[in-house]
Amino acid sequence: MATIHDVAKLAKVSIATVSRVLSHPEKVSPKTRQLVVEAMNQLDYRPNSMAQNLRRLQSNIIIALMPDIKNPFFSEVFRGIEDRAREAGFKILVGSTDRNKEKEKEYINLLKESWADGVILTTAEIDRRFIDELAQRRPLVLACEYIPGSPYPSVSIDNESAARKITKHLILQGHKRVAHIAGPSSIILSVARLTGYLQALHQSGLIEDEALIQEGDFTLQSGYDLANKLLSLKNPPTAIFAANDEMAIGAMKAIQDKGIRVPEDVAVAGFDDINVASFVTPSLTTIRQPRYKIGQTSVDLLLKVINHEPLDQPQIVLEDELIVRHSTTLNPELVM
Amino acid sequence: MATIHDVAKLAKVSIATVSRVLSHPEKVSPKTRQLVVEAMNQLDYRPNSMAQNLRRLQSNIIIALMPDIKNPFFSEVFRGIEDRAREAGFKILVGSTDRNKEKEKEYINLLKESWADGVILTTAEIDRRFIDELAQRRPLVLACEYIPGSPYPSVSIDNESAARKITKHLILQGHKRVAHIAGPSSIILSVARLTGYLQALHQSGLIEDEALIQEGDFTLQSGYDLANKLLSLKNPPTAIFAANDEMAIGAMKAIQDKGIRVPEDVAVAGFDDINVASFVTPSLTTIRQPRYKIGQTSVDLLLKVINHEPLDQPQIVLEDELIVRHSTTLNPELVM
DNA sequence: TTGTACGCGTTATCAT
DNA sequence: ATGATAACGCGTACAA
């Protein structure tokens, strides 16, 4: 691998000149510049980034932490992060934390080792110590989640109002007993969606029923299991709103396995609009989040913080959209 | 951020001793070691990894290249890669190439900049120039794909025999007209699966029908579109084998949208056994690949190459499994 | 415009 | 057992 010295020797100039050709070409006379460029090409020279990093004391790496990249929701957010970061000359290191304290600690250590220039966190727990510890060391941006009263920049939708919106859609279809399969209560956005659900009930004059609220873990299996639990209630729900699409798909499966029809007997709604949502049968009513854009925007925000640019709007809220499909209605006029 | 000098000063030793405490503790007397450790703790010192990298001329980074991490198949392979790499003290840089020449080139450049110690490639095109260019610079391992006659270490299943197996399963259910929705013909494993499909037909005395073979791109939508095309044939198939689960799910959707029943009228089989495969209705018959293990194993292999250890078996073939579910049969005895 | 020389924070060699 | 010092490859202040 050719170094800057090899290029300098071949072009018969000093290493300083070679370096300048790359960083400040205008400070080098066209003639020598030409010479140097030729030498670079001849040797296929690339500056060693490890040396650049050390010298500049920055790595051009962003760490993207998420609970699990296998989750299709996160993986699309991640693509937004990845693509925008690459455009800006940054590399992305992914970390799946599995919401595991040990692993989280490893990533904090990475920051202590000056490993990255910033962090994007795509989920947040009620327990904010982890976030605080990260933010204390490097610029941090929250994607997907907004923590009320928190100082950290964030990009998200309004989970509460979106949940309210989709719950009201179910109520408008005539449902009086609407169940909710929530996400883990330790996660902030789970709480926001649950809150939105409850608000919709109250605003519609319905009373909540403890038995109709179950806490899942965002997996297909938990949706399946909890729907079964709901269906075996003596007074089962006629509609189920799951806090994400995977739990909703699991719930639909449980319902159909029992020979019950969706949406005629039980309506099902999800959240996120993952790709497969429109390809299950019946297709799934859900809230569409601009996942890719959330990822992109969080990188934009983070880069501003890294470059000490002022943020005119630290907490960005993007638009969501209610997507009505066949899992909640047979009325073709409602379905997009 | 404290440096080695700060620690040395506080512990009243030289930086060499501090460094030794970390790398070769046995060469330092217990007494001074104790002193140094205390100073480290007091300053919360971590060696700067950029400096370590430069000095050691290695980055402890592995690049994992895949067409698109959004694909649930790759994302689980990726988790295997990520977890095993972390155990070994390596970090993972993900690159989604989208099979785009421009992006591929960027990653080659990363290697030229000494950015990574090795590369794991999770898909391979018939055009081997990209692979060759990568392998020329850094140790490379292929995950998911085996290139016949290639010198590169790889971890995969036997795609050909697996495709043969699942096609035969369909034929055993009495189907005479079995269609295949293939993956892009430029991808090696698509060809392998197509070959297996054809072999099964021939071995069963069935003749192939050009019209029953359609080329998709592994997306839900392409499965949907191509199934529609197959169904509108004057002599439509009674079974469809798609080269991955997503196309199979898209195909099922197309069939069901037409009011046709799966599996009674048309049977559908996929490939990969992604999570959602058992949660669609009817549940999807497919080939289970040990995705997570493929990822792990590819890291093991790569680390051996990086450390110049001999490989007793450069091309590793893992076991796959036929998972029969309700999309191909109503016989409860067959379904696991 | 170009070159010299120092420093970024480590690790490792060679003395002591 | 410990310390001084030379790299690792690059960027830049300063000198020429």
Side-chain angles (χ1 to χ4, degrees), chain A residues 162-181:
Chain A
R164 214 161 49 221
K165 184 161 50 182
I166 198 163
T167 307
K168 282 189 176 171
H169 160 75
L170 289 169
I171 296 172
L172 276 176
Q173 305 309 304
H175 296 284
K176 305 282 183 212
R177 292 188 60 74
V178 180
H180 181 47
I181 301 181

Side-chain angles (χ1 to χ4, degrees), chain A residues 75-121:
Chain A
S75 64
E76 187 156 346
V77 173
F78 178 76
R79 277 308 305 269
I81 294 176
E82 185 193 341
D83 290 351
R84 181 55 58 89
R86 198 192 35 248
E87 290 165 21
F90 277 69
K91 287 94 194 172
I92 296 290
L93 203 109
V94 218
S96 297
T97 62
D98 295 319
R99 305 176 56 224
N100 169 319
K101 298 295 167 202
E102 281 304 308
K103 293 188 185 169
E104 289 181 348
K105 194 167 286 177
E106 287 188 42
Y107 292 106
I108 294 179
N109 281 336
L110 239 48
L111 292 190
K112 291 189 182 171
E113 293 165 12
S114 306
W115 236 101
D117 297 339
V119 186
I120 294 177
L121 204 60

Side-chain angles (χ1 to χ4, degrees), chain B residues 150-172:
Chain B
S150 141
Y152 307 121
S154 68
V155 185
S156 69
I157 62 161
D158 183 338
N159 282 289
E160 203 172 290
S161 89
R164 213 161 50 222
K165 185 162 49 180
I166 199 164
T167 307
K168 282 191 176 169
H169 160 74
L170 289 168
I171 296 172
L172 275 176

Side-chain angles (χ1 to χ4, degrees), chain A residues 4 19 45 52 55:
Chain A
I4 198 171
S19 177
Y45 166 75
Q52 287 183 319
R55 174 64 226 225

Side-chain angles (χ1 to χ4, degrees), chain A residues 249 253 256 276 279-280, chain B residues 249 252 276-284:
Chain A
I249 291 172
K253 178 68 174 169
Q256 293 173 324
V276 81
F279 286 94
V280 291
Chain B
I249 291 172
M252 282 201 352
V276 81
S278 52
F279 286 93
V280 291
T281 302
S283 54
L284 185 65

Side-chain angles (χ1 to χ4, degrees), chain B residues 64-114:
Chain B
L65 289 184
M66 43 198 74
D68 186 0
I69 188 106
K70 289 208 307 290
N71 181 312
F73 175 77
F74 291 121
S75 64
E76 187 155 348
V77 173
F78 177 77
R79 278 307 305 270
I81 293 175
E82 186 193 341
D83 289 351
R84 181 56 57 89
R86 200 193 32 250
E87 290 166 19
F90 277 69
K91 287 96 195 170
I92 296 290
L93 202 110
V94 218
S96 297
T97 62
D98 295 318
R99 306 177 54 222
N100 169 320
K101 298 296 170 205
E102 280 305 308
K103 293 187 186 172
E104 289 181 348
K105 194 168 287 178
E106 288 189 43
Y107 291 107
I108 293 179
N109 282 337
L110 239 48
L111 292 190
K112 290 188 183 172
E113 293 164 11
S114 306

Side-chain angles (χ1 to χ4, degrees), chain B residues 55-302:
Chain B
R55 176 62 224 224
R56 296 176 174 149
L57 292 183
Q58 60 156 32
S59 57
N60 274 31
I61 289 184
I62 293 172
I63 297 185
L65 289 184
M66 43 198 74
D68 186 0
I69 188 106
K70 289 208 307 290
N71 181 312
F73 175 77
F74 291 121
S75 64
E76 187 155 348
V77 173
F78 177 77
R79 278 307 305 270
I81 293 175
E82 186 193 341
D83 289 351
R84 181 56 57 89
R86 200 193 32 250
E87 290 166 19
F90 277 69
K91 287 96 195 170
I92 296 290
L93 202 110
V94 218
S96 297
T97 62
D98 295 318
R99 306 177 54 222
N100 169 320
K101 298 296 170 205
E102 280 305 308
K103 293 187 186 172
E104 289 181 348
K105 194 168 287 178
E106 288 189 43
Y107 291 107
I108 293 179
N109 282 337
L110 239 48
L111 292 190
K112 290 188 183 172
E113 293 164 11
S114 306
W115 237 101
D117 298 339
V119 186
I120 294 176
L121 204 61
T122 62
T123 196
E125 306 258 336
I126 301 289
D127 179 1
R128 279 168 51 180
R129 272 173 297 183
F130 177 52
I131 305 181
D132 291 336
E133 209 162 348
L134 289 171
Q136 191 184 319
R137 312 203 160 267
R138 295 283 156 171
L140 175 144
V141 167
L142 293 171
C144 314
E145 213 133 7
Y146 159 70
I147 308 182
S150 141
Y152 307 121
S154 68
V155 185
S156 69
I157 62 161
D158 183 338
N159 282 289
E160 203 172 290
S161 89
R164 213 161 50 222
K165 185 162 49 180
I166 199 164
T167 307
K168 282 191 176 169
H169 160 74
L170 289 168
I171 296 172
L172 275 176
Q173 305 308 305
H175 296 285
K176 305 281 184 216
R177 291 188 61 72
V178 179
H180 181 47
I181 301 181
S185 57
S186 60
I187 292 180
I188 292 175
L189 67 76
S190 304
V191 178
R193 290 176 193 174
L194 173 60
T195 305
Y197 157 80
L198 292 172
Q199 287 171 348
L201 293 188
H202 299 155
Q203 289 173 11
S204 309
L206 297 176
I207 52 162
E208 62 186 90
D209 179 347
E210 282 279 336
L212 293 186
I213 300 175
Q214 301 290 335
E215 179 175 331
D217 62 3
F218 285 140
T219 62
L220 288 155
Q221 188 67 47
S222 79
Y224 186 86
D225 296 338
L226 293 172
N228 271 327
K229 194 167 168 190
L230 288 168
L231 292 173
S232 60
L233 250 38
K234 51 188 167 302
N235 197 355
T238 61
I240 298 178
F241 160 41
N244 76 344
D245 286 346
E246 296 188 272
M247 292 197 295
I249 291 172
M252 282 201 352
K253 178 70 175 168
I255 296 168
Q256 292 172 325
D257 274 0
K258 279 191 158 31
I260 304 175
R261 291 167 306 170
V262 179
E264 293 88 336
D265 303 321
V266 180
V268 175
F271 203 109
D272 287 346
D273 195 27
I274 61 177
N275 286 339
V276 81
S278 52
F279 286 93
V280 291
T281 302
S283 54
L284 185 65
T285 292
T286 188
I287 294 284
R288 176 176 296 165
Q289 293 200 58
R291 291 167 285 169
Y292 188 81
K293 189 173 179 187
I294 289 175
Q296 288 182 313
T297 310
S298 63
V299 172
D300 290 339
L301 219 50
L302 183 62

Side-chain angles (χ1 to χ4, degrees), chain A residues 151-199:
Chain A
Y152 307 121
S154 66
V155 185
S156 68
I157 61 162
D158 183 338
N159 283 288
E160 203 171 289
S161 88
R164 214 161 49 221
K165 184 161 50 182
I166 198 163
T167 307
K168 282 189 176 171
H169 160 75
L170 289 169
I171 296 172
L172 276 176
Q173 305 309 304
H175 296 284
K176 305 282 183 212
R177 292 188 60 74
V178 180
H180 181 47
I181 301 181
S185 58
S186 60
I187 293 181
I188 291 175
L189 67 75
S190 304
V191 178
R193 291 177 193 173
L194 172 60
T195 305
Y197 157 80
L198 291 172
Q199 287 172 347

